Amino acid sequence: MDLRPRKLDVYIVKKFISTFLVMLLLIIGIVIIFDISEKIDDFVAKEAPLREIIFSYYMNFIPYFMNMFSPLFVFITVIFFTSRMAANSEIVAILSCGISFHRFVMPYIFSAALIALFSLGMNLYVIPNANAVRHVFEAKYTKKRAAPEGKNIHYQLSPGQFVYVQSFSKWNNTAYKFTLEEVKDNELVSKVTADRAVWDSTFGGWTLKKYFIRQYNEGSLKDNIRTGDQLDTVINLTIDDFYRKNNTVQDLPYGELRELIKMQKMRGDATVQYSLIEEHQRWAVPFSAFILTIMGVALSSRKKRGGIGWNLAIGIALSFSYILFMKFSQMFVYTGTLPPFVAIWLPNILFSIITAFLYKIAPK
């Protein structure tokens, strides 16, 4: 197959990218209008400055929205301009010149690669910072339900060091019924308990109230016991661990996200599933550009009596089903049915099979 660039390749790439950008602008404009109508009461009631609404919220909302619905944009783009080419008999003319269907698809794949690389870069580096600014704005100027207090929290702070908190109050940054245990060679070495552990930002640690420390001496009948009213201590547990929400992982650059996953796995933190879902989604969504591009070409490259309307209807239905499947597959992680890697990549796997079938029969 001759892969040297041709005028046809430039023509298709320009069509692809220009149509994709127009789709983005149109749909983003519509979404912003609906979002303003939904949140205008909150903006007015909380006196949000216009500058912050524009630059802190919407300038950071747009990259997030573009990433979430990029499969929809890509698929509709391919369906739209390829159907028009088919309706104008351009594709018939191209194939009649001796260009194979496989060679015809190459500029589509090149365009999809550009979009996938751009989306991946946005996912790993740009969107997390944008999400952080947007979430701060939303917490300040939009209605949010108060976060419930933490209950029965278990963490492994380091190998052999475990902490338990019966409840944590975000009103006064206090952990109630605090317990810290040291284990070595499967034996309990020490245990620290306190009625309360209050976070002190001045030294970045916890102040234990009415504490009880017990050191277990191997081979001795007598343990070392110490009690008191107050004790300052610094451990590998900060106030951020209690304030971390499920969507906090959306604010972390990729390197920090990887470090968080490593720490959560070591601690046995149940919320690690949210971090793993976020990690795999950052890679899976850009990859979908290849799948949906090839599927779109296979579906719309043949001229139909109904024109482009029928192809657009099919394209919108399939792209929305892909996005819904991406969201639904997360439930397999929450229920423990599938590991995060399999669950998040499952829509890509299934749609790849469908795409391979459609691509095989398309030249016929």
Side-chain angles (χ1 to χ4, degrees), residues 273-285 322 325-334 338-350:
Q273 61 187 4
Y274 298 104
S275 303
L276 291 170
I277 288 172
E278 177 68 18
E279 179 192 21
H280 293 301
Q281 275 190 330
R282 292 188 185 186
W283 291 90
V285 172
Y322 174 83
F325 194 13
M326 282 285 290
K327 296 298 180 182
F328 180 76
S329 64
Q330 296 178 15
M331 298 303 299
F332 295 129
V333 182
Y334 302 143
L338 294 173
F341 176 81
V342 176
I344 299 305
W345 283 89
L346 185 60
N348 281 345
I349 295 171
L350 293 181

Side-chain angles (χ1 to χ4, degrees), residues 6 36 92 96 107 111 139 167 183 221 243 299 301 308 347-348:
R6 303 182 182 185
I36 290 175
V92 174
S96 299
S111 302
S167 63
V183 177
L221 298 177
Y243 277 87
L299 284 173
S301 57
I308 67 173
N348 281 345

Side-chain angles (χ1 to χ4, degrees), residues 147-151 153 165-176 197 199 206 239 242-243:
E149 297 181 345
K151 300 288 186 181
I153 300 168
V165 173
Q166 187 179 82
S167 63
F168 178 80
S169 174
K170 295 182 179 180
W171 296 105
N172 54 7
N173 292 336
T174 301
Y176 293 95
W199 175 254
W206 299 90
I239 196 70
F242 293 99
Y243 277 87

Side-chain angles (χ1 to χ4, degrees), residues 286-297:
F287 185 79
S288 68
F290 294 101
I291 301 170
L292 297 178
T293 294
I294 297 173
M295 180 185 289
V297 176

Side-chain angles (χ1 to χ4, degrees), residues 149-165:
E149 297 181 345
K151 300 288 186 181
N152 297 322
I153 300 168
H154 297 264
Y155 283 141
Q156 177 176 308
L157 304 184
S158 62
Q161 189 177 51
F162 303 88
V163 69
Y164 166 75
V165 173

